[in-house]
Structures are given as structure tokens and as C-alpha cells.
Amino acid sequence: MKNIVVVATGGTIAGIGEKGKTVAYHAGEISVDDILKSIPNVAKLANIREVQLLNVDSNEMNENSWLTLVKTINCLIEQQNVDGIVVTHGTDTIEETAYFLNLCVHSEKPVVMTGAMRPATATSADGPYNLYQAISLAASAEAIAQGVMVLFSNTIYSGRDIQKVNNYKIDAFDQKSFGCLGYMQDEHVYFFSKTFKHHTLHSIFSKNLPNELPKVAIAYFYAGADASILDYLSSSNEGIIIAGSGNGNYSKEWMEKIESNSKKGIVFVRASRVPLGIVFNDHIFDPHEYCIAANTLSAQKARILLSLALSYTHDRKKIKEIFEEY
Ligand code: SIN
């Protein structure tokens, strides 16, 4: 049997509330040991070791917890008697942690994240089944070299593209227009596609983890949005992601502030507040290329890539290439 380590960080999968109810609960309360004990036949999937790293609501995750998590994973995964890692996590920010790990884990061994939309005390809690499948996926030979994945509701998603699209249903995720990487039926794994973007061992960031992540903020554009927010954010951040309208667009007033703050060294990236599509570099809209296109990344994922990129270089041309490759 394969050796799988489950690293627990909290979330609704470890949440408790009134017995049977699906709402009004506290996330990050029970131990991963208790969750594992509630799963029939889980010991038949792999030899399982547990690490209770954190037990928090995922809205408490931040750059420091990401760095602690990736260092823990990199340390475990290089051990010969570890074949794969499962990370339990809250669903609210799982897409951010998954992309960070996808860029920073230094191994081709499977790393699979999972969580739950219903607390452990709910009728038909979804956590135990998701965790059962995540362990099985992490133990599967087909999951090697696929990048960091998220397993949720019988579906395998890529850490780069997964996004939360429903804040209520248990089938809460998709992978933009890219479908999914595959499906699972109980413990059986079926892959159908793969991501072509750099990840894990082929990511420059996995070879050289920063001790601290440069500060990057997100500015949300809307009709009539006050551009002075960009001066404010530029005073305390090295980079700013614009969650623009349509194809990462904004007003002339925002354009002027982006230009003046770019000249002071702040790096700007254009993502879109629209969940599907792609933001291209646009020589008509932004002829001097003050704003780098985020490609298909959401603003919150672009923020992670820009922060890692700024820990590596401040050369805009190089950062533009990074946004094309990752
Ligand atoms: C959280 O993200 O920790 C709370 C919500 C959830 O896990 O679904």
C-alpha cells in the first residue's frame, strides 16, 4: 500500500454545529483524526499518517500560512516513505492555496486538496467522502506529475484553474471553461485532460521559495470607481492587480493613475471581474504596456503569481513572460 500523509488545516470539513443541520456552524473545530475515524474502509486505501498543522476557517489563511504549509509539504514529500499528500482546507480560499502550492511544491508526487461544504455534524456531510476520494487520488499512479489538484464531489480539478462558483451547493467548484482534469467513482480515478501551464517541479518558484512574499493588492473596477484607490494602494504595495471590467478594462482616470504609479515602480496586472474568458495584452487599450495581462487567471490567483514573480524579479518583460507561462 502507498503511504499518504494528510495535512489538516481546518475548514468546514472540520466544522461542527447543531447535529444534523447544514448551516450555522464553526469551521475548523474537530481533528483530522476524528474525520478519518468516521470514514468506512479508509485504511484499505493507503497507510495514512496525519499532521494537524492548523485548524482554522480558511478566511484566516494568509501568506505566512501558505509558506508554512508549503515548507511542511516539501519536507514531508521528499521522504522516501511518503508517496503523496492530502491537504484538508476550507473551501472559501482553497483555490488560492491550491494555486500557491501548484507553483511552490517541489515534487511530482501527488498533492491533493479537499474540503467540504457541509460541517462534519450535518446530515449527509460531504467531507468524509471527499477525503476518502482525495486519499485514493493521492495514492494513484496516474496522479503523479499532474500538479497540485483539488478533489471535490467526484471531480478532479487543477490547482491553477479551480474556482468556487457556488457558495451554497455541495457541487461548489468548476475549472472555468476547461472542464476538469477527471472524475472519480468511489476510489476509482479517471483522468481526461491535463494542464499545460508550468507547475511544481517545473516552476521556478518551487526551486527558490522566498522567506516573505512581496505585498500585492487587488483594486476592483466598477463604473464610476474612484481612481484615488490606486494612489492609496501604491503607497503600501509593490504590485496591484486590477479586477477590470470585460477584457480587464478601466476608465481613463484609472489609466492615468496606473501610468503615474507604474513610473514609480509599482507593477500592475489586468485581470477581469468576469469569471470566464481571457485577458490579452492589448496594444490599442494600453499602448505603453503599463498593465500586464493576467491571461485566464482570476484577480485572486493573479495576485499570488505577481507576488511570487516580484520575489524573483522586477523586470516587467520577465513578469509578462511569467504570466504567459504559469
Ligand atoms: C472555510 O473556508 O474555512 C469555511 C467555508 C468552507 O470550508 O466551506
Side-chain angles (χ1 to χ4, degrees):
M1 279 209 295
K2 295 275 185 76
N3 299 306
I4 303 299
V5 184
V6 181
V7 180
T9 71
T12 294
I13 190 168
I16 51 175
E18 194 182 331
K19 236 176 173 344
K21 303 284 185 200
T22 58
V23 290
Y25 59 90
H26 294 283
E29 292 283 333
I30 66 166
S31 69
V32 64
D33 193 51
D34 283 340
I35 306 169
L36 284 164
K37 279 188 186 136
S38 74
I39 309 176
N41 291 326
V42 72
K44 290 187 183 162
L45 296 175
N47 298 314
I48 300 167
R49 226 163 92 196
E50 303 150 24
V51 174
Q52 185 77 54
L53 184 67
L54 302 166
N55 211 355
V56 296
D57 183 306
S58 77
N59 295 289
E60 303 304 325
M61 296 295 286
N62 56 33
E63 290 81 353
N64 291 335
S65 22
W66 292 340
L67 286 167
T68 306
L69 178 60
V70 75
K71 282 177 195 162
T72 305
I73 291 172
N74 282 343
C75 189
L76 287 165
I77 215 162
E78 69 179 24
Q79 294 169 20
Q80 283 208 331
N81 62 350
V82 173
D83 298 303
I85 305 277
V86 170
V87 179
T88 58
H89 196 286
T91 63
D92 281 353
T93 67
I94 198 170
E95 65 197 74
E96 291 167 66
T97 306
Y99 188 44
F100 178 79
L101 294 180
N102 193 51
L103 296 169
C104 296
V105 166
H106 190 60
S107 176
E108 291 200 326
K109 292 181 191 173
V111 176
V112 181
M113 300 188 73
T114 196
M117 290 296 285
R118 292 182 181 157
T121 42
T123 302
S124 300
D126 52 332
Y129 184 59
N130 284 341
L131 183 52
Y132 179 84
Q133 292 198 315
I135 291 169
S136 190
L137 179 60
S140 136
E142 289 159 84
I144 295 169
Q146 302 283 3
V148 172
M149 292 159 280
V150 179
L151 184 286
F152 222 90
S153 285
N154 290 317
T155 313
I156 308 165
Y157 298 104
S158 97
R160 181 187 186 275
D161 298 313
I162 185 167
Q163 58 181 4
K164 191 169 186 178
V165 290
N166 197 302
N167 61 16
Y168 189 58
K169 295 186 175 178
I170 55 169
D171 189 8
F173 292 92
D174 77 11
Q175 198 183 291
K176 306 203 161 217
S177 312
F178 313 125
C180 61
L181 295 182
Y183 291 112
M184 289 190 70
Q185 188 187 46
D186 292 329
E187 63 277 18
H188 305 291
V189 176
Y190 304 95
F191 274 100
F192 292 101
S193 63
K194 56 166 72 212
T195 176
F196 290 95
K197 297 290 180 181
H198 295 325
H199 58 73
T200 55
L201 269 194
H202 304 284
S203 159
I204 47 170
F205 309 112
S206 76
K207 297 175 182 75
N208 214 345
L209 266 188
N211 288 327
E212 219 177 289
L213 284 166
K215 281 189 76 184
V216 174
I218 298 174
Y220 197 97
F221 178 76
Y222 49 93
D226 183 348
S228 63
I229 184 78
L230 298 176
D231 285 337
Y232 172 74
L233 293 175
S234 295
S235 64
S236 55
N237 289 280
E238 291 182 41
I240 296 175
I241 309 296
I242 310 290
S245 58
N247 177 30
N249 297 331
Y250 33 78
S251 64
K252 290 196 182 83
E253 201 195 342
W254 274 47
M255 181 92 79
E256 280 158 23
K257 291 288 185 200
I258 289 168
E259 180 174 346
S260 59
N261 285 299
S262 284
K263 286 180 176 160
K264 292 180 196 155
I266 308 299
V267 178
F268 285 87
V269 169
R270 294 163 47 220
S272 176
R273 61 185 201 179
V274 180
L276 300 181
I278 178 164
V279 176
F280 291 109
N281 289 303
D282 183 336
H283 304 295
I284 304 291
F285 180 64
D286 182 17
H288 303 290
E289 292 195 6
Y290 288 119
C291 233
I292 296 161
N295 202 295
T296 59
L297 295 175
S298 62
Q300 59 272 32
K301 291 199 190 229
R303 191 183 91 84
I304 291 164
L305 185 57
L306 181 57
S307 180
L308 282 166
L310 287 169
S311 74
Y312 181 78
T313 179
H314 276 71
D315 178 344
R316 263 171 232 261
K317 202 163 153 274
K318 182 76 201 142
I319 296 175
K320 193 172 151 209
E321 279 167 23
I322 288 172
F323 270 85
E324 280 155 12
E325 292 168 2
Y326 291 82

